[in-house]
């Protein structure tokens, strides 16, 4: 199984400041044939199901504000929120779609 | 709009059975892989099972293999998870989720399963 490890486990950032969350996979999730990283980021607010934020490591999902961005390739990935808003308080998960089982990171709790 | 609604959750004793259902609307259900994801209280997300379009393939996490069975009825636009020999550690919110090659883009609100004596 591919192990996904996020850092940090929790993070406190001031409003308007930048938030950065890391995700590392135990093996590469880059498909050489398709040149795509099978890495997705989700946001889960309290009491709600997760929401897809970023896919293919760097493509924003439908309706996702442009302050959210994803980067990285192979085994190391980053989710960045450029200017934190109050509504961004949530737990963020990365997930690999490269192979079964489609494992998740343990989650990063983002607070203000 | 595209929607998934789970039902069938509840309280069951260890060793018991429960069947979760998920009703899809607003989407061509038969065209998509579907998955079940669960989240234990205060914990992270766990991939449980998925089924391909046409029911030609399915996958189970090791933690549920041999006890859970995923199925779908495309005519009724529904997804099911038959859970047998339930354990306390199966206690979780179970989400029905549409799976695309790039990720999981439509989530239900979840059904709560509690396994306790």
């Amino acid at each position: 199984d591919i192990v996904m490890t996020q850092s940090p486990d929790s993070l406190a950032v001031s409003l308007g400041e930048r938030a950065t969350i890391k995700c590392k996979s135990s093996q590469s999730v880059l498909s050489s044939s398709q040149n795509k990283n099978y890495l997705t980021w989700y946001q889960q607010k309290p009491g709600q199901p997760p929401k897809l934020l970023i896919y293919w490591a760097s493509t924003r999902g439908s309706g996702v504000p442009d302050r959210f961005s994803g980067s990285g390739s192979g085994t190391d990935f980053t989710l960045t929120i450029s200017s934190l808003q109050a509504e961004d308080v949530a737990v963020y998960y990365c997930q690999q779609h490269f192979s079964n089982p489609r494992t998740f990171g343990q989650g990063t709790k983002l607070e203000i | 709009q595209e929607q998934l609604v789970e039902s069938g959750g509840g309280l069951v004793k260890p060793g018991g059975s429960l069947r979760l259902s998920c009703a899809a609307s607003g989407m061509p259900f038969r065209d998509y892989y579907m998955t079940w994801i669960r989240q234990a209280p205060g914990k992270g997300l766990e991939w449980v099972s998925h089924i391909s379009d046409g029911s030609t393939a399915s996958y189970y996490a090791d933690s549920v293999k041999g006890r859970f069975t995923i199925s779908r009825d495309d005519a009724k636009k529904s997804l099911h998870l038959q859970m047998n020999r339930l354990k306390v550690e199966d206690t979780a919110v179970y989400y029905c989720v549409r799976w695309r090659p790039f990720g999981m883009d439509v989530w239900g609100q979840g059904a709560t399963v509690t396994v306790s004596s």
Side-chain angles (χ1 to χ4, degrees):
Chain A
D1 298 3
I2 298 177
V3 177
M4 308 298 291
T5 304
Q6 292 180 227
S7 60
D9 290 335
S10 63
L11 180 64
V13 175
S14 301
L15 290 174
E17 296 299 305
R18 178 186 299 262
T20 301
I21 298 171
K22 303 280 190 184
C23 175
K24 188 174 183 67
S25 57
S26 61
Q27 61 191 77
S28 176
V29 297
L30 172 64
S31 168
S32 53
S33 61
Q34 299 191 35
N35 196 30
K36 289 183 185 296
N37 285 282
Y38 280 64
L39 190 285
T40 303
W41 289 96
Y42 301 90
Q43 174 195 60
Q44 186 177 30
K45 296 182 179 180
Q48 297 183 19
K51 171 189 173 183
L52 188 150
L53 269 186
I54 303 281
Y55 60 94
W56 300 142
S58 60
T59 303
R60 273 188 299 275
S62 175
V64 174
D66 60 7
R67 63 180 180 273
F68 291 91
S69 64
S71 62
S73 184
T75 62
D76 293 280
F77 301 91
T78 301
L79 173 69
T80 301
I81 308 172
S82 60
S83 177
L84 191 72
Q85 306 298 303
E87 61 265 32
D88 300 335
V89 168
V91 179
Y92 293 83
Y93 295 93
C94 62
Q95 184 197 22
Q96 62 82 17
H97 289 266
F98 188 79
S99 66
N100 289 328
R102 262 61 167 178
T103 41
F104 292 90
Q106 79 276 19
T108 294
K109 186 174 185 178
L110 178 58
E111 301 172 307
I112 295 174
Chain B
Q1 75 278 21
E2 298 170 325
Q3 193 173 12
L4 298 168
V5 179
E6 301 91 342
S7 60
L11 173 64
V12 62
K13 288 182 167 53
S17 298
L18 213 53
R19 187 182 193 230
L20 299 182
S21 296
C22 170
S25 60
M27 69 176 82
F29 179 76
R30 67 176 63 247
D31 292 345
Y32 297 106
Y33 276 55
M34 296 297 297
T35 74
W36 288 99
I37 303 292
R38 69 183 180 184
Q39 186 169 36
K43 302 297 184 183
L45 302 169
E46 180 186 13
W47 182 288
V48 173
S49 180
H50 78 239
I51 188 167
S52 65
D53 55 333
S55 301
T56 53
S58 59
Y59 170 84
Y60 299 92
D62 286 345
S63 57
V64 306
K65 198 174 296 181
R67 300 187 298 120
F68 289 13
T69 303
I70 192 171
S71 62
R72 62 190 297 163
D73 184 334
D74 289 339
K76 295 183 178 178
K77 302 181 79 170
S78 61
L79 178 73
H80 305 282
L81 186 68
Q82 178 66 42
M83 303 184 293
N84 297 330
R85 304 199 312 274
L86 282 160
K87 303 177 181 180
V88 171
E89 52 264 40
D90 294 320
T91 294
V93 174
Y94 285 73
Y95 293 104
C96 169
V97 191
R98 186 174 79 178
W99 181 60
R100 311 289 295 280
F102 55 81
M104 296 180 291
D105 65 339
V106 179
W107 294 67
Q109 287 299 309
T112 300
V113 172
T114 303
V115 185
S116 174
S117 54

